[in-house]
Amino acid sequence: MNAHARGPAIATPAAAAPAPLVDPFGRTISYLRVSVTDRCDFRCVYCMSEHMQFLPRSDLLTLEELDRLCSAFVARGTKRLRITGGEPLVRHDVMKLFHALSRHLDTGALEELTLTTNGSQLARFAAELADCGVRRVNVSLDTLDPDRFRALTRTGAHAQVLAGIAAARAAGLKVKLNAVALKGMNEDEFVPLVRFAHENGMDMTFIEVMPLGELDGPERADQYLPMQEVRDRLSEAFTLDEIDYRTGGPARYMRARETGGRIGFITPLTHNFCESCNRVRVTCTGTLYMCLGQEDAADLRAPLRESADDALLHQAIETAILRKPKGHDFVIDRTAPAPAVSRHMSMTGG
């Protein structure tokens, strides 16, 4: 038969886009935090033990698997993607992952690609991160005092972090500083940290210490400082006004009239933010935690490696999201025999 004599071709319907991920409480999951390594060049006293036993590198997802996993979430409606660690920038060839994921920014499927870092490697990578479409970074900085910094991080170099922050700003990255409020350790620095941040065009966020992981140093109850005490101390120096500003994360912001800058507060214990939680976390081994404060988890590494297509991966993600709890059970109690969650913060993106 002459090819031109055939009838009109039958149009094949386009494959339906995967449905957005919605948990049992009607919250759409649009924010994914992915740890690319459990390793870090610091040993912060609130985050990990001084003598950590890190995972064998063979247990970690490859960069290609991390790209595939992140891309599956983007296909299901993830708009914000944060790369974490440990310290993400110590992962070998990690910039290959940022370059790969930047394609989702180019298509508009992803609104933001960013990272949380201790700043130690920012001087090396800030310009390349900007080239990948990263527009802002969170940098942990708990103190402005070099000696105290060394004590808190056990191994960190304060000047190296400040150089990283300067490099990030020079590359055009917006920087937000994060400080964990630590009783008896950095209470006298809350006001200086805000002044330093605002004088350099950066937001400042304070975080309550979380009961994650066994420590070989101070007890959690000895470290814990309620965020209201932080606000009270700041109110002695600044006039704080409530503002309607969000970055997609759990921080609630106020503006200091005297500086014009923003101050964020993250309060997992005194006022949890679970009712609006749109986030899930994946570890560097492909374990999905639907809640930072719960132990329930789902294995995504197995479906990644069982099949070359993503059907099994999507099925595993869907099933897990249907188990996302309403909220966490964080509590810091001196009489408790163990932390609320046994894993260290560095395992799920500290």
PDB file of all heavy atoms in Angstrom, residues 144-181:
ATOM      1  N   LEU A 144      31.462  35.135  66.710  1.00  0.00           N
ATOM      2  CA  LEU A 144      32.413  36.006  66.015  1.00  0.00           C
ATOM      3  C   LEU A 144      33.801  35.938  66.651  1.00  0.00           C
ATOM      4  O   LEU A 144      34.730  36.585  66.163  1.00  0.00           O
ATOM      5  CB  LEU A 144      31.909  37.454  66.037  1.00  0.00           C
ATOM      6  CG  LEU A 144      30.582  37.705  65.316  1.00  0.00           C
ATOM      7  CD1 LEU A 144      30.116  39.137  65.537  1.00  0.00           C
ATOM      8  CD2 LEU A 144      30.704  37.419  63.819  1.00  0.00           C
ATOM      9  N   ASP A 145      33.928  35.159  67.708  1.00  0.00           N
ATOM     10  CA  ASP A 145      35.190  35.060  68.426  1.00  0.00           C
ATOM     11  C   ASP A 145      35.978  33.850  67.922  1.00  0.00           C
ATOM     12  O   ASP A 145      35.488  32.713  68.019  1.00  0.00           O
ATOM     13  CB  ASP A 145      34.921  34.912  69.922  1.00  0.00           C
ATOM     14  CG  ASP A 145      36.203  34.814  70.723  1.00  0.00           C
ATOM     15  OD1 ASP A 145      36.735  35.870  71.111  1.00  0.00           O
ATOM     16  OD2 ASP A 145      36.669  33.679  70.943  1.00  0.00           O
ATOM     17  N   PRO A 146      37.181  34.043  67.368  1.00  0.00           N
ATOM     18  CA  PRO A 146      37.934  32.914  66.792  1.00  0.00           C
ATOM     19  C   PRO A 146      38.214  31.789  67.787  1.00  0.00           C
ATOM     20  O   PRO A 146      38.144  30.608  67.415  1.00  0.00           O
ATOM     21  CB  PRO A 146      39.236  33.576  66.316  1.00  0.00           C
ATOM     22  CG  PRO A 146      38.870  35.006  66.068  1.00  0.00           C
ATOM     23  CD  PRO A 146      37.851  35.339  67.123  1.00  0.00           C
ATOM     24  N   ASP A 147      38.528  32.130  69.021  1.00  0.00           N
ATOM     25  CA  ASP A 147      38.821  31.084  69.997  1.00  0.00           C
ATOM     26  C   ASP A 147      37.557  30.306  70.357  1.00  0.00           C
ATOM     27  O   ASP A 147      37.585  29.073  70.486  1.00  0.00           O
ATOM     28  CB  ASP A 147      39.433  31.703  71.255  1.00  0.00           C
ATOM     29  CG  ASP A 147      40.822  32.275  71.000  1.00  0.00           C
ATOM     30  OD1 ASP A 147      41.500  31.786  70.079  1.00  0.00           O
ATOM     31  OD2 ASP A 147      41.218  33.227  71.714  1.00  0.00           O
ATOM     32  N   ARG A 148      36.468  31.018  70.545  1.00  0.00           N
ATOM     33  CA  ARG A 148      35.206  30.340  70.849  1.00  0.00           C
ATOM     34  C   ARG A 148      34.763  29.505  69.661  1.00  0.00           C
ATOM     35  O   ARG A 148      34.226  28.402  69.814  1.00  0.00           O
ATOM     36  CB  ARG A 148      34.138  31.372  71.215  1.00  0.00           C
ATOM     37  CG  ARG A 148      32.810  30.771  71.625  1.00  0.00           C
ATOM     38  CD  ARG A 148      31.829  31.857  72.014  1.00  0.00           C
ATOM     39  NE  ARG A 148      32.178  32.460  73.299  1.00  0.00           N
ATOM     40  CZ  ARG A 148      31.518  33.486  73.831  1.00  0.00           C
ATOM     41  NH1 ARG A 148      30.501  34.035  73.193  1.00  0.00           N
ATOM     42  NH2 ARG A 148      31.887  33.977  75.005  1.00  0.00           N
ATOM     43  N   PHE A 149      34.988  30.022  68.453  1.00  0.00           N
ATOM     44  CA  PHE A 149      34.642  29.282  67.240  1.00  0.00           C
ATOM     45  C   PHE A 149      35.387  27.953  67.209  1.00  0.00           C
ATOM     46  O   PHE A 149      34.813  26.901  66.894  1.00  0.00           O
ATOM     47  CB  PHE A 149      34.982  30.111  66.006  1.00  0.00           C
ATOM     48  CG  PHE A 149      34.584  29.482  64.709  1.00  0.00           C
ATOM     49  CD1 PHE A 149      33.299  29.643  64.208  1.00  0.00           C
ATOM     50  CD2 PHE A 149      35.492  28.728  63.976  1.00  0.00           C
ATOM     51  CE1 PHE A 149      32.925  29.053  62.998  1.00  0.00           C
ATOM     52  CE2 PHE A 149      35.126  28.140  62.777  1.00  0.00           C
ATOM     53  CZ  PHE A 149      33.838  28.310  62.289  1.00  0.00           C
ATOM     54  N   ARG A 150      36.652  28.003  67.541  1.00  0.00           N
ATOM     55  CA  ARG A 150      37.456  26.779  67.544  1.00  0.00           C
ATOM     56  C   ARG A 150      36.921  25.794  68.577  1.00  0.00           C
ATOM     57  O   ARG A 150      36.846  24.577  68.333  1.00  0.00           O
ATOM     58  CB  ARG A 150      38.916  27.129  67.869  1.00  0.00           C
ATOM     59  CG  ARG A 150      39.862  25.941  67.832  1.00  0.00           C
ATOM     60  CD  ARG A 150      40.159  25.518  66.411  1.00  0.00           C
ATOM     61  NE  ARG A 150      41.146  24.438  66.371  1.00  0.00           N
ATOM     62  CZ  ARG A 150      41.681  23.983  65.251  1.00  0.00           C
ATOM     63  NH1 ARG A 150      41.336  24.507  64.090  1.00  0.00           N
ATOM     64  NH2 ARG A 150      42.547  23.008  65.280  1.00  0.00           N
ATOM     65  N   ALA A 151      36.507  26.321  69.727  1.00  0.00           N
ATOM     66  CA  ALA A 151      35.985  25.444  70.775  1.00  0.00           C
ATOM     67  C   ALA A 151      34.658  24.820  70.364  1.00  0.00           C
ATOM     68  O   ALA A 151      34.410  23.634  70.613  1.00  0.00           O
ATOM     69  CB  ALA A 151      35.819  26.228  72.068  1.00  0.00           C
ATOM     70  N   LEU A 152      33.790  25.590  69.726  1.00  0.00           N
ATOM     71  CA  LEU A 152      32.476  25.091  69.331  1.00  0.00           C
ATOM     72  C   LEU A 152      32.559  24.094  68.177  1.00  0.00           C
ATOM     73  O   LEU A 152      31.811  23.123  68.123  1.00  0.00           O
ATOM     74  CB  LEU A 152      31.565  26.248  68.942  1.00  0.00           C
ATOM     75  CG  LEU A 152      31.023  27.108  70.079  1.00  0.00           C
ATOM     76  CD1 LEU A 152      30.268  28.310  69.529  1.00  0.00           C
ATOM     77  CD2 LEU A 152      30.106  26.295  70.985  1.00  0.00           C
ATOM     78  N   THR A 153      33.473  24.351  67.235  1.00  0.00           N
ATOM     79  CA  THR A 153      33.580  23.493  66.052  1.00  0.00           C
ATOM     80  C   THR A 153      34.624  22.396  66.217  1.00  0.00           C
ATOM     81  O   THR A 153      34.678  21.474  65.406  1.00  0.00           O
ATOM     82  CB  THR A 153      33.953  24.319  64.819  1.00  0.00           C
ATOM     83  OG1 THR A 153      35.250  24.907  65.012  1.00  0.00           O
ATOM     84  CG2 THR A 153      32.933  25.417  64.549  1.00  0.00           C
ATOM     85  N   ARG A 154      35.459  22.531  67.222  1.00  0.00           N
ATOM     86  CA  ARG A 154      36.549  21.613  67.549  1.00  0.00           C
ATOM     87  C   ARG A 154      37.686  21.648  66.520  1.00  0.00           C
ATOM     88  O   ARG A 154      38.835  21.431  66.871  1.00  0.00           O
ATOM     89  CB  ARG A 154      36.043  20.174  67.697  1.00  0.00           C
ATOM     90  CG  ARG A 154      35.061  19.953  68.858  1.00  0.00           C
ATOM     91  CD  ARG A 154      34.815  18.470  69.034  1.00  0.00           C
ATOM     92  NE  ARG A 154      33.962  18.146  70.162  1.00  0.00           N
ATOM     93  CZ  ARG A 154      32.706  17.721  70.029  1.00  0.00           C
ATOM     94  NH1 ARG A 154      32.176  17.564  68.826  1.00  0.00           N
ATOM     95  NH2 ARG A 154      31.984  17.434  71.105  1.00  0.00           N
ATOM     96  N   THR A 155      37.373  21.877  65.246  1.00  0.00           N
ATOM     97  CA  THR A 155      38.402  21.822  64.196  1.00  0.00           C
ATOM     98  C   THR A 155      38.375  23.030  63.265  1.00  0.00           C
ATOM     99  O   THR A 155      39.243  23.146  62.406  1.00  0.00           O
ATOM    100  CB  THR A 155      38.234  20.557  63.331  1.00  0.00           C
ATOM    101  OG1 THR A 155      36.928  20.571  62.748  1.00  0.00           O
ATOM    102  CG2 THR A 155      38.404  19.296  64.163  1.00  0.00           C
ATOM    103  N   GLY A 156      37.393  23.898  63.382  1.00  0.00           N
ATOM    104  CA  GLY A 156      37.172  24.927  62.383  1.00  0.00           C
ATOM    105  C   GLY A 156      38.102  26.127  62.509  1.00  0.00           C
ATOM    106  O   GLY A 156      38.570  26.458  63.595  1.00  0.00           O
ATOM    107  N   ALA A 157      38.345  26.784  61.371  1.00  0.00           N
ATOM    108  CA  ALA A 157      39.138  28.009  61.313  1.00  0.00           C
ATOM    109  C   ALA A 157      38.206  29.181  61.020  1.00  0.00           C
ATOM    110  O   ALA A 157      37.617  29.248  59.932  1.00  0.00           O
ATOM    111  CB  ALA A 157      40.228  27.903  60.251  1.00  0.00           C
ATOM    112  N   HIS A 158      38.063  30.086  61.961  1.00  0.00           N
ATOM    113  CA  HIS A 158      37.132  31.200  61.846  1.00  0.00           C
ATOM    114  C   HIS A 158      37.440  32.066  60.626  1.00  0.00           C
ATOM    115  O   HIS A 158      36.535  32.446  59.869  1.00  0.00           O
ATOM    116  CB  HIS A 158      37.204  32.032  63.129  1.00  0.00           C
ATOM    117  CG  HIS A 158      36.107  33.027  63.273  1.00  0.00           C
ATOM    118  ND1 HIS A 158      36.275  34.378  63.024  1.00  0.00           N
ATOM    119  CD2 HIS A 158      34.812  32.882  63.641  1.00  0.00           C
ATOM    120  CE1 HIS A 158      35.140  35.006  63.243  1.00  0.00           C
ATOM    121  NE2 HIS A 158      34.239  34.134  63.612  1.00  0.00           N
ATOM    122  N   ALA A 159      38.708  32.384  60.406  1.00  0.00           N
ATOM    123  CA  ALA A 159      39.095  33.244  59.287  1.00  0.00           C
ATOM    124  C   ALA A 159      38.723  32.616  57.952  1.00  0.00           C
ATOM    125  O   ALA A 159      38.339  33.320  56.999  1.00  0.00           O
ATOM    126  CB  ALA A 159      40.597  33.527  59.343  1.00  0.00           C
ATOM    127  N   GLN A 160      38.796  31.291  57.865  1.00  0.00           N
ATOM    128  CA  GLN A 160      38.451  30.583  56.634  1.00  0.00           C
ATOM    129  C   GLN A 160      36.960  30.734  56.320  1.00  0.00           C
ATOM    130  O   GLN A 160      36.567  30.923  55.163  1.00  0.00           O
ATOM    131  CB  GLN A 160      38.822  29.111  56.781  1.00  0.00           C
ATOM    132  CG  GLN A 160      38.652  28.269  55.520  1.00  0.00           C
ATOM    133  CD  GLN A 160      39.114  26.837  55.742  1.00  0.00           C
ATOM    134  OE1 GLN A 160      39.658  26.501  56.806  1.00  0.00           O
ATOM    135  NE2 GLN A 160      38.912  25.997  54.747  1.00  0.00           N
ATOM    136  N   VAL A 161      36.133  30.677  57.347  1.00  0.00           N
ATOM    137  CA  VAL A 161      34.694  30.848  57.146  1.00  0.00           C
ATOM    138  C   VAL A 161      34.370  32.285  56.744  1.00  0.00           C
ATOM    139  O   VAL A 161      33.566  32.523  55.835  1.00  0.00           O
ATOM    140  CB  VAL A 161      33.928  30.443  58.421  1.00  0.00           C
ATOM    141  CG1 VAL A 161      32.442  30.786  58.284  1.00  0.00           C
ATOM    142  CG2 VAL A 161      34.108  28.962  58.692  1.00  0.00           C
ATOM    143  N   LEU A 162      34.997  33.252  57.395  1.00  0.00           N
ATOM    144  CA  LEU A 162      34.763  34.649  57.024  1.00  0.00           C
ATOM    145  C   LEU A 162      35.196  34.907  55.586  1.00  0.00           C
ATOM    146  O   LEU A 162      34.530  35.653  54.847  1.00  0.00           O
ATOM    147  CB  LEU A 162      35.509  35.583  57.977  1.00  0.00           C
ATOM    148  CG  LEU A 162      35.029  35.609  59.426  1.00  0.00           C
ATOM    149  CD1 LEU A 162      35.791  36.675  60.209  1.00  0.00           C
ATOM    150  CD2 LEU A 162      33.531  35.859  59.516  1.00  0.00           C
ATOM    151  N   ALA A 163      36.293  34.290  55.156  1.00  0.00           N
ATOM    152  CA  ALA A 163      36.729  34.429  53.763  1.00  0.00           C
ATOM    153  C   ALA A 163      35.709  33.808  52.820  1.00  0.00           C
ATOM    154  O   ALA A 163      35.454  34.340  51.725  1.00  0.00           O
ATOM    155  CB  ALA A 163      38.095  33.776  53.583  1.00  0.00           C
ATOM    156  N   GLY A 164      35.113  32.700  53.230  1.00  0.00           N
ATOM    157  CA  GLY A 164      34.088  32.062  52.411  1.00  0.00           C
ATOM    158  C   GLY A 164      32.857  32.923  52.276  1.00  0.00           C
ATOM    159  O   GLY A 164      32.265  33.028  51.191  1.00  0.00           O
ATOM    160  N   ILE A 165      32.452  33.550  53.375  1.00  0.00           N
ATOM    161  CA  ILE A 165      31.292  34.446  53.336  1.00  0.00           C
ATOM    162  C   ILE A 165      31.576  35.618  52.401  1.00  0.00           C
ATOM    163  O   ILE A 165      30.728  36.004  51.578  1.00  0.00           O
ATOM    164  CB  ILE A 165      30.962  34.944  54.759  1.00  0.00           C
ATOM    165  CG1 ILE A 165      30.420  33.784  55.602  1.00  0.00           C
ATOM    166  CG2 ILE A 165      29.948  36.081  54.717  1.00  0.00           C
ATOM    167  CD1 ILE A 165      30.284  34.115  57.079  1.00  0.00           C
ATOM    168  N   ALA A 166      32.773  36.177  52.497  1.00  0.00           N
ATOM    169  CA  ALA A 166      33.138  37.296  51.623  1.00  0.00           C
ATOM    170  C   ALA A 166      33.138  36.868  50.158  1.00  0.00           C
ATOM    171  O   ALA A 166      32.676  37.617  49.273  1.00  0.00           O
ATOM    172  CB  ALA A 166      34.512  37.830  52.024  1.00  0.00           C
ATOM    173  N   ALA A 167      33.627  35.660  49.886  1.00  0.00           N
ATOM    174  CA  ALA A 167      33.653  35.163  48.509  1.00  0.00           C
ATOM    175  C   ALA A 167      32.246  34.962  47.972  1.00  0.00           C
ATOM    176  O   ALA A 167      31.958  35.252  46.790  1.00  0.00           O
ATOM    177  CB  ALA A 167      34.442  33.858  48.443  1.00  0.00           C
ATOM    178  N   ALA A 168      31.360  34.459  48.820  1.00  0.00           N
ATOM    179  CA  ALA A 168      29.976  34.248  48.394  1.00  0.00           C
ATOM    180  C   ALA A 168      29.320  35.582  48.038  1.00  0.00           C
ATOM    181  O   ALA A 168      28.633  35.698  47.014  1.00  0.00           O
ATOM    182  CB  ALA A 168      29.194  33.542  49.504  1.00  0.00           C
ATOM    183  N   ARG A 169      29.518  36.570  48.875  1.00  0.00           N
ATOM    184  CA  ARG A 169      28.924  37.880  48.605  1.00  0.00           C
ATOM    185  C   ARG A 169      29.528  38.492  47.351  1.00  0.00           C
ATOM    186  O   ARG A 169      28.821  39.104  46.554  1.00  0.00           O
ATOM    187  CB  ARG A 169      29.112  38.789  49.819  1.00  0.00           C
ATOM    188  CG  ARG A 169      28.358  38.296  51.055  1.00  0.00           C
ATOM    189  CD  ARG A 169      28.509  39.234  52.237  1.00  0.00           C
ATOM    190  NE  ARG A 169      27.890  40.526  51.939  1.00  0.00           N
ATOM    191  CZ  ARG A 169      28.523  41.692  52.041  1.00  0.00           C
ATOM    192  NH1 ARG A 169      29.794  41.742  52.433  1.00  0.00           N
ATOM    193  NH2 ARG A 169      27.886  42.804  51.762  1.00  0.00           N
ATOM    194  N   ALA A 170      30.829  38.317  47.152  1.00  0.00           N
ATOM    195  CA  ALA A 170      31.486  38.844  45.950  1.00  0.00           C
ATOM    196  C   ALA A 170      30.963  38.176  44.688  1.00  0.00           C
ATOM    197  O   ALA A 170      30.928  38.791  43.609  1.00  0.00           O
ATOM    198  CB  ALA A 170      32.995  38.658  46.063  1.00  0.00           C
ATOM    199  N   ALA A 171      30.551  36.907  44.813  1.00  0.00           N
ATOM    200  CA  ALA A 171      30.007  36.171  43.661  1.00  0.00           C
ATOM    201  C   ALA A 171      28.543  36.516  43.401  1.00  0.00           C
ATOM    202  O   ALA A 171      27.943  35.992  42.451  1.00  0.00           O
ATOM    203  CB  ALA A 171      30.157  34.670  43.892  1.00  0.00           C
ATOM    204  N   GLY A 172      27.970  37.362  44.230  1.00  0.00           N
ATOM    205  CA  GLY A 172      26.577  37.762  44.045  1.00  0.00           C
ATOM    206  C   GLY A 172      25.582  36.891  44.765  1.00  0.00           C
ATOM    207  O   GLY A 172      24.368  37.028  44.551  1.00  0.00           O
ATOM    208  N   LEU A 173      26.069  35.993  45.635  1.00  0.00           N
ATOM    209  CA  LEU A 173      25.162  35.133  46.383  1.00  0.00           C
ATOM    210  C   LEU A 173      24.612  35.883  47.592  1.00  0.00           C
ATOM    211  O   LEU A 173      25.349  36.589  48.285  1.00  0.00           O
ATOM    212  CB  LEU A 173      25.884  33.878  46.863  1.00  0.00           C
ATOM    213  CG  LEU A 173      26.462  32.957  45.786  1.00  0.00           C
ATOM    214  CD1 LEU A 173      27.216  31.817  46.433  1.00  0.00           C
ATOM    215  CD2 LEU A 173      25.362  32.430  44.880  1.00  0.00           C
ATOM    216  N   LYS A 174      23.324  35.711  47.836  1.00  0.00           N
ATOM    217  CA  LYS A 174      22.726  36.246  49.048  1.00  0.00           C
ATOM    218  C   LYS A 174      23.050  35.290  50.187  1.00  0.00           C
ATOM    219  O   LYS A 174      22.844  34.080  50.069  1.00  0.00           O
ATOM    220  CB  LYS A 174      21.210  36.370  48.858  1.00  0.00           C
ATOM    221  CG  LYS A 174      20.481  37.008  50.017  1.00  0.00           C
ATOM    222  CD  LYS A 174      19.002  37.128  49.684  1.00  0.00           C
ATOM    223  CE  LYS A 174      18.229  37.722  50.853  1.00  0.00           C
ATOM    224  NZ  LYS A 174      16.772  37.813  50.540  1.00  0.00           N
ATOM    225  N   VAL A 175      23.555  35.817  51.281  1.00  0.00           N
ATOM    226  CA  VAL A 175      23.985  34.980  52.403  1.00  0.00           C
ATOM    227  C   VAL A 175      23.071  35.202  53.602  1.00  0.00           C
ATOM    228  O   VAL A 175      22.776  36.343  53.968  1.00  0.00           O
ATOM    229  CB  VAL A 175      25.441  35.295  52.800  1.00  0.00           C
ATOM    230  CG1 VAL A 175      25.860  34.462  54.009  1.00  0.00           C
ATOM    231  CG2 VAL A 175      26.385  35.039  51.627  1.00  0.00           C
ATOM    232  N   LYS A 176      22.624  34.097  54.207  1.00  0.00           N
ATOM    233  CA  LYS A 176      21.927  34.151  55.481  1.00  0.00           C
ATOM    234  C   LYS A 176      22.776  33.399  56.503  1.00  0.00           C
ATOM    235  O   LYS A 176      23.199  32.279  56.255  1.00  0.00           O
ATOM    236  CB  LYS A 176      20.539  33.514  55.405  1.00  0.00           C
ATOM    237  CG  LYS A 176      19.800  33.522  56.758  1.00  0.00           C
ATOM    238  CD  LYS A 176      18.342  33.128  56.596  1.00  0.00           C
ATOM    239  CE  LYS A 176      18.142  31.638  56.415  1.00  0.00           C
ATOM    240  NZ  LYS A 176      18.395  30.880  57.676  1.00  0.00           N
ATOM    241  N   LEU A 177      23.027  34.047  57.637  1.00  0.00           N
ATOM    242  CA  LEU A 177      23.784  33.407  58.691  1.00  0.00           C
ATOM    243  C   LEU A 177      22.846  32.672  59.639  1.00  0.00           C
ATOM    244  O   LEU A 177      21.782  33.182  59.975  1.00  0.00           O
ATOM    245  CB  LEU A 177      24.593  34.441  59.479  1.00  0.00           C
ATOM    246  CG  LEU A 177      25.631  35.241  58.693  1.00  0.00           C
ATOM    247  CD1 LEU A 177      26.385  36.171  59.625  1.00  0.00           C
ATOM    248  CD2 LEU A 177      26.593  34.326  57.934  1.00  0.00           C
ATOM    249  N   ASN A 178      23.255  31.486  60.060  1.00  0.00           N
ATOM    250  CA  ASN A 178      22.514  30.695  61.045  1.00  0.00           C
ATOM    251  C   ASN A 178      23.372  30.538  62.290  1.00  0.00           C
ATOM    252  O   ASN A 178      24.560  30.200  62.190  1.00  0.00           O
ATOM    253  CB  ASN A 178      22.194  29.292  60.513  1.00  0.00           C
ATOM    254  CG  ASN A 178      21.159  29.298  59.413  1.00  0.00           C
ATOM    255  OD1 ASN A 178      20.408  30.250  59.267  1.00  0.00           O
ATOM    256  ND2 ASN A 178      21.128  28.233  58.630  1.00  0.00           N
ATOM    257  N   ALA A 179      22.780  30.760  63.446  1.00  0.00           N
ATOM    258  CA  ALA A 179      23.473  30.515  64.704  1.00  0.00           C
ATOM    259  C   ALA A 179      22.580  29.686  65.611  1.00  0.00           C
ATOM    260  O   ALA A 179      21.400  30.015  65.799  1.00  0.00           O
ATOM    261  CB  ALA A 179      23.833  31.832  65.394  1.00  0.00           C
ATOM    262  N   VAL A 180      23.126  28.614  66.154  1.00  0.00           N
ATOM    263  CA  VAL A 180      22.408  27.850  67.163  1.00  0.00           C
ATOM    264  C   VAL A 180      22.585  28.569  68.499  1.00  0.00           C
ATOM    265  O   VAL A 180      23.707  28.920  68.883  1.00  0.00           O
ATOM    266  CB  VAL A 180      22.939  26.409  67.245  1.00  0.00           C
ATOM    267  CG1 VAL A 180      22.241  25.637  68.361  1.00  0.00           C
ATOM    268  CG2 VAL A 180      22.736  25.700  65.909  1.00  0.00           C
ATOM    269  N   ALA A 181      21.470  28.829  69.176  1.00  0.00           N
ATOM    270  CA  ALA A 181      21.521  29.489  70.479  1.00  0.00           C
ATOM    271  C   ALA A 181      21.945  28.486  71.532  1.00  0.00           C
ATOM    272  O   ALA A 181      21.229  27.514  71.796  1.00  0.00           O
ATOM    273  CB  ALA A 181      20.155  30.078  70.818  1.00  0.00           C
TER     274      ALA A 181
END
